[in-house]
Amino acid sequence: MARYIFITGGVVSSLGKGLASAALGALLQARGYTVRLRKLDPYLNVDPGTMSPYQHGECFVTDDGAETDLDLGHYERFTGRSANRMDNVTTGRIYRDIIARERRGDYLGGTVQVIPHVTNAIKEFILDGNEGYDFVLVEIGGTVGDIEAMPFLEAIRQLGNDLPPHHCVYIHLTLLPYIPSAGEVKTKPTQHSVKELRSIGIQPDILLCRADREIPAEERRKLSLFCNVRESAVIEALDVASIYEVPRAYHAAGLDHEVLSAFGIEPAPRPDMSRWNAVMQAVHNPEGDVTIAIVGKYTGLKDAYKSLIEALAHGGISNHVKVHLDWIEAEIFEHQDPSPYLEHVHGILVPGGFGSRGSEGKIAAARFARLRKVPYFGICFGMQMAVIEAARSLAGIEQAGSTEFGPTPEPVVGLMTEWLRGNELEQREESGNLGGTMRLGAYPALLKPGTKIAEIYGATEISERHRHRYEVNRDYGERLEQCGLVISGASPDGLLPETVEFSDHPWFIGVQYHPELKSRPFEPHPLFASFIAAAKAQSRLV
């Protein structure tokens, strides 16, 4: 039977519960255990698919087409295990399902209440499908004390009694702020957070304390005394230079040992940290530097591009270089010449996005990369803008545009209304709901033999994750290819262009899917590895 680890957060948000959960999962794997990681989100949205990146950060898409929290990206990158739609649930989804049951009459006329109906639904979700796993790590979003999180905290409290002895451990991630004027690390915020947690019936077994400096022994003793945990269970989580240092740092601090001890697993298997040692060896000893310009529209919040940032770092690891990111708001290029901003960079990446804002700036970035022979990587929207640029500048289609921005006489990019998922036809209406209605999840694509992208993959059949409503219009394919833009990959039925490239360019590739979602530090995605290799070659020319 699986053992359960519940990770809660206190004092402030954004302390890194997702990263801590992922790192602990990696450490348990290093000891030979199988793990599953799941996220409970307290907000009322059914999923983050309709939320602005400025509100929520990146929307992470799984193979089975779920739009999930960005923490699932951390889970995948650190453990190598692909997540699915049953690894993330929100209050909105729980309540939607409960209301549907009530409308069907499943509760037989009973009064539907938070306890037991909502908490039972949460517990069912947590316990479902965990056969074959040694440990299930469950992260509860938000902060202890948030009214939205109360049903989730009550559910995991109940599970502490429902599960057999030594099958449930609570970890509380908290903050120890340093007050410069007093010259002290303060424990009082953590004491209050634990008091709040204990008031609802949860006694943490382990405190994971975020701090920017070593925690003095006296403060550790104070936390142990006032929070009712063993002194050895007060684990310091210090800031590190790279997120991939976290597993090693937490192991050195004793987190994984303390977790296994709390479960009564002693002596524990010795961990094999060679994978993480190799990653950090590459991170700490680069042989050079490259600068990549990211021309986007959500550059004010880097979490909107979390998987992208990490995939570029993975490309740097595989090429033994440090990747510097130059963030450029796409709207700037709608009013200014991009040359002063892009002449010094070794590669240009235009990521996904929605809406017309910044689109002309992204088109300008693609034009600069094409004319100056700078490596260009267009992802989803970035591919579409590169195609529109080629249509306008090379194919003579001056009014080329996307129907996403409104009616256009030359819809080089248009709304998809139907596509195949396996053998089933999926259909959408322009006026339909926004949530969950895109082409989502993993789809196969066929690459043309002899193209650059087929060479990079070393294959002509691939599967990648998608998240989009608009697609390059195949009717313009012949005119685009006549001007040198090759449609180098398409859906198996040939109707949906998946990849484009310029064969006479050092590295100019656009993809309709999101390859960053499948990249890992110990297994970089081939497109990012190749893109950074091209940037590395470009750095010798600039």
Side-chain angles (χ1 to χ4, degrees):
M1 181 181 180
R3 293 177 170 88
Y4 290 82
I5 303 170
F6 297 107
I7 300 99
T8 58
V11 184
V12 295
S13 60
S14 301
L15 285 180
K17 289 194 305 297
L19 192 56
S21 303
L24 177 56
L27 288 174
L28 292 172
Q29 279 186 330
R31 290 181 182 266
Y33 296 109
T34 57
V35 300
R36 181 180 191 181
L37 291 98
R38 315 183 85 170
K39 176 74 183 288
L40 312 181
D41 276 309
Y43 50 75
L44 283 172
N45 303 68
V46 172
D47 60 44
T50 59
M51 297 170 71
S52 165
Y54 284 122
Q55 287 276 320
H56 186 264
E58 171 189 69
C59 178
F60 188 83
V61 178
T62 59
D63 281 332
D64 60 353
E67 294 175 292
T68 70
D69 187 82
L70 64 81
D71 281 333
L72 271 72
H74 286 312
Y75 302 166
E76 288 202 7
R77 285 187 286 273
F78 276 71
T79 68
R81 176 190 173 271
S82 293
N84 59 52
R85 66 175 62 253
M86 293 307 295
D87 289 325
N88 187 202
V89 75
T90 67
T91 298
R93 187 164 139 202
I94 293 288
Y95 273 83
R96 182 194 65 182
D97 293 347
I98 288 173
I99 295 300
R101 292 183 195 178
E102 186 272 333
R103 292 291 83 189
R104 289 195 306 265
D106 292 359
Y107 297 113
L108 302 177
T111 301
V112 181
Q113 298 175 289
V114 173
I115 301 173
H117 300 98
V118 173
T119 51
N120 282 349
I122 295 169
K123 289 193 292 183
E124 288 171 11
F125 176 86
I126 292 172
L127 297 174
D128 183 51
N130 296 327
E131 299 80 8
Y133 293 101
D134 296 317
F135 293 96
V136 178
L137 287 76
V138 183
E139 175 195 349
I140 293 82
T143 308
V144 170
D146 294 345
I147 191 170
E148 298 93 341
M150 290 303 293
F152 291 104
L153 296 171
E154 171 61 20
I156 67 171
R157 182 200 67 78
Q158 293 178 18
L159 281 173
N161 294 325
D162 297 344
L163 292 167
H166 301 298
H167 275 71
C168 175
V169 162
Y170 298 101
I171 299 176
H172 191 52
L173 177 66
T174 184
L175 175 69
L176 266 62
Y178 177 76
I179 308 300
S181 59
E184 293 179 338
V185 171
K186 290 296 185 180
T187 65
K188 189 62 73 175
T190 294
Q191 293 178 44
H192 279 291
S193 182
V194 171
K195 181 180 178 182
E196 182 79 25
L197 194 60
R198 293 175 68 188
S199 72
I200 59 176
I202 296 175
Q203 167 62 52
D205 299 287
I206 296 168
L207 294 181
L208 188 57
C209 303
R210 285 298 309 274
D212 64 354
R213 65 201 64 222
E214 188 173 338
I215 303 172
E218 180 56 34
E219 272 60 41
R220 294 169 70 103
R221 282 193 291 270
K222 185 185 293 185
L223 285 169
S224 171
L225 179 64
F226 284 95
C227 298
N228 193 32
V229 298
R230 294 185 306 276
E231 191 172 332
S232 63
V234 178
I235 308 294
E236 61 181 14
L238 303 181
D239 296 342
V240 291
S242 167
I243 64 171
Y244 301 117
E245 184 68 56
V246 173
R248 300 202 311 176
Y250 283 6
H251 173 63
L255 175 61
D256 49 331
H257 173 79
E258 199 63 34
V259 167
L260 295 174
S261 177
F263 280 115
I265 302 175
E266 294 181 298
R270 293 180 61 83
D272 177 6
M273 300 295 291
S274 58
R275 166 183 280 185
W276 295 103
N277 291 337
V279 168
M280 292 316 303
Q281 174 70 17
V283 169
H284 289 318
N285 299 283
E287 298 172 0
D289 300 73
V290 298
T291 300
I292 303 298
I294 298 181
V295 183
K297 58 188 298 181
Y298 311 117
T299 58
L301 182 68
K302 304 303 185 291
D303 271 358
Y305 301 111
K306 191 61 183 175
S307 291
L308 191 68
I309 295 169
E310 299 310 320
L312 287 165
H314 305 162
I317 290 171
S318 68
N319 286 280
H320 307 287
V321 296
K322 182 174 179 58
V323 179
H324 301 279
L325 302 181
D326 194 351
W327 297 91
I328 303 173
E329 187 65 34
E331 287 180 282
I332 292 174
F333 294 164
E334 296 180 356
H335 312 289
Q336 300 181 40
D337 178 12
S339 298
Y341 296 88
L342 299 176
E343 284 179 336
H344 68 288
V345 305
H346 309 126
I348 299 169
L349 192 149
V350 176
F354 296 92
S356 61
R357 183 178 67 82
S359 59
E360 291 298 326
K362 294 186 176 186
I363 289 171
R367 183 180 302 115
F368 179 93
R370 178 178 61 81
L371 294 175
R372 298 292 189 93
K373 302 295 185 183
V374 177
Y376 177 87
F377 196 178
I379 295 176
C380 196
F381 194 82
M383 166 180 155
Q384 295 172 5
M385 296 305 99
V387 170
I388 289 175
E389 192 283 320
R392 292 177 182 176
S393 301
L394 301 177
I397 310 172
E398 296 181 1
Q399 297 187 72
S402 170
T403 58
E404 183 175 0
F405 312 147
T408 175
E410 299 285 1
V412 173
V413 176
L415 177 71
M416 293 184 296
T417 56
E418 59 182 46
W419 60 87
L420 287 173
R421 174 177 279 279
N423 295 322
E424 296 184 8
L425 182 67
E426 298 218 3
Q427 295 180 310
R428 299 290 186 268
E429 296 179 3
E430 187 170 0
S431 58
N433 290 341
L434 294 179
T437 57
M438 287 182 276
R439 189 174 185 233
L440 291 165
Y443 285 87
L446 302 180
L447 306 179
K448 286 183 180 178
T451 56
K452 188 173 189 66
I453 196 165
E455 176 189 339
I456 292 169
Y457 274 100
T460 55
E461 296 184 21
I462 62 170
S463 175
E464 293 283 2
R465 299 179 190 178
H466 294 67
R467 185 176 184 249
H468 61 107
R469 286 190 184 86
Y470 295 82
E471 183 76 56
V472 172
N473 190 338
R474 200 70 166 88
D475 293 342
Y476 289 87
E478 185 175 344
R479 295 170 69 180
L480 291 168
E481 293 204 332
Q482 286 175 352
C483 68
L485 185 64
V486 178
I487 298 178
S488 50
S491 57
D493 58 12
L495 298 179
L496 304 177
E498 292 276 16
T499 72
V500 298
E501 61 183 68
F502 280 110
S503 56
D504 61 348
H505 192 284
W507 209 100
F508 193 108
I509 291 176
V511 297
Q512 185 57 70
Y513 47 83
H514 290 269
E516 69 272 20
L517 300 178
K518 295 178 72 171
S519 189
R520 312 281 188 265
F522 36 81
E523 191 180 352
H525 193 285
L527 283 176
F528 282 91
S530 179
F531 177 58
I532 297 301
K536 185 177 179 181
Q538 181 75 12
S539 69
R540 302 189 182 107
L541 303 175
V542 174

